[in-house]
Amino acid sequence: MQVSLNLEGLPVVVLGAADDARQALARYRRAGAALAHFESPAAYRAAVALPSRPALVAVVGLQGGRAHDAEWAPVLERYRVLGVPRVDEPAAGPRGHVTLVGGGPGSRGLLTVDAVEALRDADVVLFDRLAPWRELAELTTAQLVDVGKLPGHHKVPQVEINRLIVEHARAGANVVRLKGGDPFVFGRGGEEAAACAEAGIPVRVVSGISSSIAVPAAAGIPVTHRNVSHAFTVVSGHAPLTDDEHRHLAGLGTAGGTIVVLMGIANLPHLAAGLRRSGMPATMPLAVVERGHQAGQKTTLTELGRAEADTARCANPAVIVIGEVVRLAGIGSRAAAEDELRGLAASFMMEAEGTPT
Ligand code: SAH
């Protein structure tokens, strides 16, 4: 539901409980309306000054059934509101729509303009913890639903997420499903889009900046570099790779391709051993970049031969990069610039100390 009208100065009455009315109020306020809001029939009866001829009456949250509606009857009558939709008399077909939004690797600055606009216009945002969720309250007035964790700390299963998306859209909401990185890179965005299509709900995809490129970049590692690497392969390390896959990757890596592994921390020892068995040299550089573009970002630089020991304390979320490009780590990154500045400052200090006054 979107209000793009200019209601500057026009009287608008919103009827409904505070939680239900939050979205509507924010929208009409933005449109410049002179708002009156009644949370309950009692509040309406107690009001002293009522706008006599509102330009618009928005009734929200009356889906509680007939008994609840009946309480509002005198108010609705006064404003001659006709045909309040009820859940037991749904309008034909779905009215809401869904936008699958890629939120990038977790920093607000890496949201796209389209992502920011979609969030601003949303009624409901279903998010998980890889997206920039901490800033959501500043970016949208939508109802926020954390599908990354259930109260018992388990992830909400994918079928349940699909069901929630469809349910909110069927109720008429403009739903944003905010995902980390790009929705179509290991994000199960395809399944969510398919679930919407199956339910006949219009769905749009807003591409995001994928961690597979942006997280190596946060450590100053370009995934391709002229004369160093002319290809990069993004692999999921969620399940242990087969010997065939190890051989294939080792071939790509040895021929100068970069290997980027997402969700690979738990299986890193298995991967490193598999690549070595398949002939990748033990001196091949390997980096693990944890929490890229987020507070606490950390880069561990090592090589294939001792990756297990050197990365034993690395934790998710992290991106593993294997290839010669890792030797370029630090190019253009803030960490590298800071290191350089510290080095410069130290040499000035030494000069100053050595200069007789
Ligand atoms: N669709 C996402 C990937 C989802 S799979 C994208 O395009 O980026 C989840 C994996 O992405 C994590 O296990 C981790 O490997 C990686 N990841 C996402 N955000 C990250 C971040 N800020 N820092 C490090 N790794 C990240």
Side-chain angles (χ1 to χ4, degrees):
M1 211 189 297
Q2 288 182 47
V3 178
S4 49
L5 293 172
N6 179 3
L7 299 173
E8 203 59 52
L10 293 175
V12 169
V13 173
V14 176
L15 308 171
D19 268 2
D20 299 323
R22 198 167 43 90
Q23 273 293 302
L25 288 170
R27 289 257 155 71
Y28 293 124
R29 192 169 294 122
R30 268 206 301 271
L35 278 172
H37 171 215
F38 302 113
E39 280 211 45
S40 63
Y44 163 77
R45 281 193 296 272
V48 266
L50 298 173
S52 52
R53 239 179 301 150
L56 184 72
V57 178
V59 191
V60 291
L62 293 192
Q63 285 98 330
R66 287 174 193 283
H68 187 80
D69 285 6
E71 285 181 48
W72 283 102
V75 188
L76 303 183
E77 211 165 279
R78 180 170 197 277
Y79 288 131
R80 294 199 193 88
V81 177
L82 301 172
V84 175
R86 296 193 163 110
V87 277
D88 49 354
E89 291 167 17
R95 289 167 296 141
H97 62 273
V98 173
T99 313
L100 300 180
V101 176
S107 90
R108 180 184 175 142
L110 291 181
L111 282 168
T112 65
V113 174
D114 278 3
V116 171
E117 284 176 1
L119 286 167
R120 191 194 58 204
D121 293 342
D123 297 312
V124 181
V125 176
L126 298 128
F127 67 96
D128 46 50
R129 301 288 178 101
L130 281 177
W133 59 280
R134 286 190 179 83
E135 291 90 346
L136 276 178
E138 295 159 30
L139 294 164
T140 182
T141 55
Q143 178 194 345
L144 303 178
V145 183
D146 182 353
V147 293
K149 291 237 170 75
L150 281 175
H153 299 299
H154 294 293
K155 280 183 72 172
V156 178
Q158 188 64 46
V159 278
E160 177 61 12
I161 295 176
N162 296 355
R163 198 191 61 75
L164 280 171
I165 294 173
V166 168
E167 182 183 285
H168 281 291
R170 280 208 172 121
N174 172 1
V175 182
V176 162
R177 169 68 175 113
L178 180 67
K179 307 173 72 64
D182 183 90
F184 283 175
V185 177
F186 303 134
R188 304 191 75 168
E191 292 166 54
E192 294 171 3
C196 294
E198 217 167 276
I201 290 160
V203 59
R204 181 169 78 98
V205 178
V206 172
S207 297
I209 295 180
S210 178
S211 66
S212 51
I213 298 169
V215 168
I221 302 172
V223 289
T224 69
H225 194 78
R226 197 171 150 79
N227 296 332
V228 178
S229 163
H230 59 273
F232 69 101
T233 307
V234 182
V235 197
S236 162
H238 182 63
L241 300 186
T242 63
D243 280 348
D244 260 358
E245 288 168 326
H246 285 143
R247 269 194 293 278
H248 179 67
L249 286 181
L252 284 172
T254 313
T258 305
I259 300 165
V260 178
V261 189
L262 304 193
M263 300 177 280
I265 291 299
N267 285 317
L268 203 157
H270 176 83
L271 173 72
L275 291 177
R276 285 194 303 260
R277 265 200 321 277
S278 303
M280 189 180 263
T283 52
M284 184 63 85
L286 182 150
V288 174
V289 186
E290 295 166 75
R291 297 180 297 279
H293 292 288
Q294 296 178 7
Q297 175 180 317
K298 189 177 140 220
T299 307
T300 304
L301 297 175
T302 177
E303 52 189 32
L304 192 64
R306 44 191 178 85
E308 291 93 326
D310 287 357
T311 63
R313 293 174 64 189
C314 294
N316 281 316
V319 170
I320 304 165
V321 192
I322 306 167
E324 292 296 332
V325 285
V326 170
R327 295 191 201 282
L328 301 166
I331 288 189
S333 79
R334 187 184 292 179
E338 281 169 3
D339 275 356
E340 204 163 302
L341 275 178
R342 266 195 295 274
L344 270 178
S347 61
F348 281 137
M349 298 274 286
M350 278 163 59
E351 267 177 41
E353 275 166 15
T355 314
T357 45

